[in-house]
Amino acid sequence: MQRYLNQKLKIYNSLTGNKETFEPINNGHVGMYVCGPTVYNYVHLGNCRTFISFDLIFRYLKHLGYKVRYVRNITDAGHLENDADEGEDRIAKKARLEQIEPMEVVQRYTVDFHNTLNRFNNLPPSIEPTATGHIIEQINIIKEILDKGFAYEVNGSVYFDVIKFNQTSRYGKLSGRNIEDLIHNTRELDGQSDKKSPQDFALWKKAEPQHIMRWPSPWSDGFPGWHLECTAMSTKYLGERFDIHGGGMDLKFPHHECEIAQAEASNGHTPVNYWMHANMLTLNGKKMSKSTGNNILPNEIFTGDNNILSKPFAPAVVRFFILQAHYRSVLDFSNDALLASEKGFYRLMEAVHLLEELPVSSETSGFDLTQWQQKCYDAMNDDFNSPVLIANLFEAVKFINQVKEQKAEISAEDRESLKTTMHSFVFDVLGLIDVTASQENSTDKLSGVVELLIKLRAEARANKDFATSDKIRDELAAMGIQLKDGKEGTTFSVS
């Protein structure tokens, strides 16, 4: 697999606004950090798109032969309402509303998060640290920032001094904002805030008496600011400087901007070489929102229990749909788009099956395999362009069908090479699952269950228990399974 490392991968860097040739800090190794979920509710589809996008990136880097340490955190404390420094902790609020412990909330929705990503066939990260598991590391970073004069303590809370930091660095370089505009567009403090400036953000908050989640610190019993956990955990597991930091576009400001400021203030240099951001997902052309009802959860898609889609869709089909758009583009989720993706998905799987039995000839005609393989790599090397990769895969699908119809030919050697490349990109890189195989397995199980019921019905008839016999027949008929009695026994058909 090391032979693929010579591929020239380009990554769009949100920090510079350019596609840049990827050069890892340590040759052959990649350190990647992705902001994980705040586990206070069921994971929504927009989050899933982000994590599927970075799963694709993780998979391709591994495919190229890199040894990747992928760190994705779980936020289980410190994320206040509206991403602000005031208000209630999102997890504590959920716990209060449901009258359970905050860690019960964390456990419930962390399990949901893992189960949902498993169904999408996401690979687990190398390390999945939690905010509450790294309170000591966060306190130590606050001490460093205070010692270097970029933070101040007021009434038991500690705030990052954005104005002072901006004198020696640039706050806003990731999001393209400048401090003067930020100051001009924010309201004056109301006199009740401990902050020197509205732009300052909390590193540590003193807990109010009613605040459930609290830890001791040199400043007060309280909790860390939301932005701090990612700086603490990325630094601990990837070092003061690492290769890739990813997340949703909505995290660019203020979350990632604050991460850069914290790291530079404590370590003296920029923390990340390549910043990557996945774009948003809309539903029927509108922003997803629980309050308006324009929202759908992954499990509602899989079961069909919703008022938006015409039928259930398999997780693999939804994943395929998501990867048909580039991770940096806005993607609109709709019933028609999913139906079209489902057709394409099954066409792709059918071609993969056909490859196994494709007749071979002495040579290949009508298809330049080497050129096609490089086109697949060129697509992924261009900032992980999965839609172009998928278009290339369908060129191969067309060729496979032509060979089947005897309109083209393929040699035995090329068939094996095409099979290897198709499997690598379809299953290893795109992470798709061949659900047609599982459907066949389900059909086999159904046959076994029906055959068992046929035997029980035969025993009932032999015992002249016609009520049970008729009930088995009628119940199966109601489910669309028709029994037919003949000289050689009973057979069934599914309508």
Side-chain angles (χ1 to χ4, degrees):
M1 194 174 283
Q2 293 293 325
R3 62 194 169 94
Y4 297 125
L5 283 174
N6 61 4
Q7 297 285 338
K8 286 297 178 188
L9 172 63
K10 285 186 177 288
I11 294 178
Y12 181 86
N13 191 346
S14 299
L15 189 62
T16 63
N18 296 313
K19 286 182 189 176
E20 300 173 2
T21 301
F22 179 62
E23 299 286 350
I25 295 167
N26 298 306
N27 192 33
H29 293 72
V30 178
M32 180 169 79
Y33 186 93
V34 174
C35 289
T38 300
V39 282
Y40 71 104
N41 215 327
Y42 295 112
V43 63
H44 64 74
L45 203 57
N47 280 151
C48 291
R49 187 209 180 173
T50 295
F51 300 127
I52 288 170
S53 297
F54 283 99
D55 183 62
L56 171 78
I57 291 162
F58 181 37
R59 285 171 175 273
Y60 188 61
L61 290 169
K62 283 165 66 75
H63 173 75
L64 291 181
Y66 288 106
K67 186 175 181 181
V68 187
R69 178 176 286 179
Y70 174 20
V71 182
R72 186 186 67 211
N73 71 299
I74 294 285
T75 296
D76 57 354
H79 194 170
L80 305 187
E81 295 174 282
N82 304 315
D83 300 346
D85 284 336
E86 306 298 331
E88 200 169 358
D89 183 292
R90 294 184 180 195
I91 290 162
K93 181 178 181 180
K94 188 79 168 182
R96 179 175 57 77
L97 292 173
E98 297 193 10
Q99 297 185 316
I100 57 177
E101 283 291 323
M103 285 302 136
E104 286 184 72
V105 173
V106 167
Q107 179 71 11
R108 176 185 301 171
Y109 296 115
T110 300
V111 169
D112 167 71
F113 173 66
H114 289 152
N115 287 343
T116 301
L117 291 196
N118 284 342
R119 296 200 69 184
F120 279 125
N121 199 33
N122 273 28
L123 297 174
S126 316
I127 303 172
E128 193 172 48
T130 64
T132 57
H134 295 77
I135 299 295
I136 292 171
E137 289 84 352
Q138 294 178 75
I139 289 173
N140 286 337
I141 290 176
I142 296 170
K143 288 178 180 177
E144 288 176 9
I145 297 172
L146 278 167
D147 288 345
K148 292 179 180 178
F150 292 112
Y152 54 92
E153 185 261 331
V154 182
N155 298 327
S157 293
V158 181
Y159 296 95
F160 189 92
D161 193 331
V162 170
I163 304 294
K164 186 165 184 183
F165 172 78
N166 199 63
Q167 292 170 0
T168 55
S169 189
R170 187 192 159 200
Y171 182 81
K173 57 188 169 188
L174 178 66
S175 58
R177 307 180 190 209
N178 66 64
I179 197 73
E180 290 77 17
D181 290 342
L182 289 170
I183 292 169
H184 180 73
N185 292 324
T186 50
R187 291 178 297 174
E188 289 292 317
L189 294 171
D190 59 9
Q192 296 180 337
S193 175
D194 291 330
K195 294 181 185 182
K196 290 181 183 177
S197 166
Q199 285 70 45
D200 296 349
F201 57 89
L203 299 174
W204 187 266
K205 288 284 289 181
K206 180 181 179 180
E208 297 297 326
Q210 70 273 17
H211 199 98
I212 308 171
M213 305 177 81
R214 57 175 66 218
W215 292 265
S217 81
W219 313 286
S220 65
D221 277 5
F223 53 94
W226 172 42
H227 313 302
L228 189 63
E229 64 179 272
C230 291
T231 299
M233 290 185 275
S234 62
T235 302
K236 177 166 183 174
Y237 298 110
L238 298 175
E240 290 184 0
R241 187 160 195 163
F242 55 95
D243 298 298
I244 296 171
H245 192 315
M249 195 77 78
D250 57 320
L251 297 179
K252 192 183 280 189
F253 187 88
H255 186 54
H256 289 162
E257 202 73 74
C258 294
E259 278 192 61
I260 292 174
Q262 289 165 168
E264 290 188 4
S266 61
N267 302 326
H269 53 76
T270 189
V272 179
N273 283 359
Y274 304 89
W275 283 90
M276 301 181 69
H277 293 92
N279 215 323
M280 65 186 291
L281 190 68
T282 57
L283 178 58
N284 292 324
K286 298 176 183 175
K287 184 179 177 181
M288 285 197 181
S289 168
K290 288 178 188 173
S291 59
T292 62
N294 195 53
N295 184 58
I296 190 166
L297 294 172
N299 198 52
E300 294 171 339
I301 301 168
F302 308 153
T303 62
D305 185 18
N306 62 80
N307 299 319
I308 294 169
L309 304 175
S310 59
K311 61 190 280 293
F313 290 92
V317 170
V318 181
R319 182 183 177 99
F320 181 65
F321 161 75
I322 286 171
L323 295 176
Q324 281 184 294
H326 191 267
Y327 76 91
R328 284 192 291 115
S329 64
V330 175
L331 174 60
D332 189 50
F333 188 89
S334 69
N335 188 67
D336 288 347
L338 272 178
L339 288 170
S341 284
E342 186 177 55
K343 284 182 183 176
F345 173 82
Y346 284 114
R347 224 177 112 222
L348 182 60
M349 292 303 149
E350 184 183 10
V352 171
H353 291 170
L354 281 174
L355 255 174
E356 301 292 334
E357 303 161 3
L358 216 55
V360 295
S361 304
S362 58
E363 60 182 26
T364 300
S365 66
F367 191 71
D368 188 327
L369 179 61
T370 304
Q371 184 186 56
W372 173 81
Q373 286 171 325
Q374 190 55 52
K375 281 172 66 178
C376 290
Y377 281 101
D378 288 346
M380 287 301 291
N381 290 337
D382 182 17
D383 194 31
F384 309 97
N385 201 324
S386 56
V388 172
L389 169 65
I390 289 168
N392 291 332
L393 293 176
F394 276 102
E395 281 185 27
V397 168
K398 183 180 177 182
F399 171 66
I400 290 165
N401 287 319
Q402 286 174 337
V403 174
K404 179 197 172 192
E405 295 161 7
Q406 299 183 327
K407 294 176 182 176
E409 296 178 334
I410 190 169
S411 68
E413 184 182 357
D414 281 355
R415 185 182 74 169
E416 287 309 301
S417 183
L418 177 58
K419 191 161 72 172
T420 299
T421 307
M422 286 289 282
H423 275 256
S424 291
F425 281 108
V426 171
F427 301 119
D428 297 342
V429 175
L430 292 177
L432 301 177
I433 293 177
D434 185 2
V435 294
T436 56
S438 62
Q439 286 171 348
E440 288 167 8
N441 188 38
S442 297
T443 302
D444 292 341
K445 288 179 181 177
L446 173 65
S447 298
V449 172
V450 176
E451 292 293 348
L452 175 63
L453 288 169
I454 287 172
K455 284 182 184 177
L456 293 174
R457 179 171 173 263
E459 288 175 10
R461 292 176 77 182
N463 295 329
K464 298 189 178 181
D465 182 1
F466 298 113
T468 300
S469 167
D470 291 347
K471 185 174 183 180
I472 291 172
R473 181 197 63 205
D474 295 343
E475 291 285 348
L476 287 172
M479 289 186 281
I481 300 169
Q482 308 295 329
L483 299 185
K484 186 176 181 181
D485 297 317
K487 291 181 181 178
E488 298 180 2
T490 303
T491 57
F492 75 94
S493 62
V494 182
S495 58

